[in-house]
Amino acid sequence: LVVLATIILVIKQYKRCPSNRVLVIYGKVSGQQAAKCLHGGGAFVVPLIQDYAFLSLEPMVIDIELTGALSLKNIRVNVPSTVTVGISTEPDIMNNAAERLLALNDQEIRDQARDIILGQMRLVIATMEIEEINQNRDVFLQKVNANVESELNKIGLKVINVNVRDITDESGYINAIGQKAAAEAINVAKVEVAEAKKAGEIGEATALRDKDVKLDGLLHAIAM
């Protein structure tokens, strides 16, 4: 009976970790850590002195309605974005998640992440001119990714994707830039068309002149 009870206890207390979760064992664990985190595999949870919980690795999509962020030239821009985050599986960052997110539900995690993302996006926008934000979106996204990632790592999250839906400003500066670029492109096109037309007319006149010269030469040869 003792052996059977021991086997049942071992089976019951051995916890397997699904691939889409992080197993967090807390209580008395080895070393100075507050918790032991596993992604995949399993571990024995010692009764009475240890307990366990799971953190989901499912991606969390967060809508960021960023408005009125001050750019380097003091022009306020609106950058609505969608950021996808999730619990990291890097050992140190998983431990951060166990310490800071274990007791929170999905909505509370989203709220924390949203506050961090908003703050970091405002910081990035404050270091860039509005033309650079609008024209070099890859650079802008790289800076946002770097800043947001480093801060989210502190609470155990990582950035999966950042998607900027649009960039606008309250003063209409971006629209003015677009209209100026369009007008310049139209003017350049008109000049190129005029030059091409002029070149065509010159070519046609030259061809007619050469034809007349050849015809005169032929008639002169016949007369001789």
Side-chain angles (χ1 to χ4, degrees):
L1 290 176
V2 171
V3 172
L4 182 60
T6 302
I7 293 173
I8 293 173
L9 178 63
V10 170
I11 293 173
K12 184 178 179 182
Q13 291 302 115
Y14 187 82
K15 305 301 177 183
R16 294 181 297 276
C17 182
S19 60
N20 65 337
R21 291 184 178 185
V22 171
L23 173 62
V24 181
I25 300 173
Y26 56 91
K28 185 174 178 59
V29 296
S30 59
Q32 301 299 318
Q33 295 179 331
K36 176 183 177 181
C37 298
L38 294 174
H39 175 227
F44 181 75
V45 179
V46 181
L48 300 179
I49 64 173
Q50 291 181 343
D51 208 339
Y52 74 97
F54 288 103
L55 285 170
S56 175
L57 294 177
E58 298 296 327
M60 291 175 281
V61 180
I62 304 172
D63 289 327
I64 306 296
E65 300 302 330
L66 178 57
T67 59
L70 200 62
S71 66
L72 189 60
K73 286 186 175 180
N74 296 325
I75 298 175
R76 295 192 177 275
V77 296
N78 308 316
V79 190
S81 309
T82 301
V83 182
T84 305
V85 303
I87 302 292
S88 176
T89 55
E90 292 292 327
D92 291 340
I93 304 175
M94 275 198 300
N95 287 332
N96 291 342
E99 292 176 3
R100 294 177 172 85
L101 303 179
L102 191 61
L104 304 182
N105 58 40
D106 284 351
Q107 188 56 52
E108 290 171 331
I109 295 174
R110 289 171 192 270
D111 290 342
Q112 280 203 19
R114 182 180 289 107
D115 290 342
I116 292 172
I117 294 166
L118 278 169
Q120 293 305 308
M121 288 187 71
R122 288 184 182 278
L123 285 176
V124 171
I125 290 170
T127 65
M128 299 178 69
E129 296 183 358
I130 191 168
E131 295 89 348
E132 186 180 6
I133 297 171
N134 187 50
Q135 296 173 8
N136 299 324
R137 295 199 182 188
D138 288 343
V139 174
F140 174 61
L141 287 176
Q142 288 173 6
K143 291 183 177 182
V144 169
N145 264 307
N147 281 41
V148 170
E149 180 89 4
S150 63
E151 293 301 311
L152 288 181
N153 284 171
K154 295 176 182 179
I155 63 170
L157 297 174
K158 68 175 182 179
V159 176
I160 298 174
N161 182 57
V162 177
N163 178 37
V164 174
R165 299 197 298 271
D166 194 13
I167 298 176
T168 59
D169 67 287
E170 298 175 357
S171 61
Y173 186 69
I174 292 176
N175 285 335
I177 293 173
Q179 291 172 0
K180 179 183 176 182
E184 290 175 350
I186 291 171
N187 290 335
V188 169
K190 286 181 177 178
V191 170
E192 290 176 349
V193 168
E195 290 178 349
K197 185 177 180 180
K198 182 179 179 181
E201 291 173 349
I202 292 172
E204 183 180 0
T206 302
L208 290 173
R209 185 183 61 199
D210 291 343
K211 183 178 178 181
D212 290 340
V213 170
K214 290 179 181 179
L215 181 59
D216 290 344
L218 180 60
L219 291 174
H220 181 71
I222 293 172
M224 294 294 291

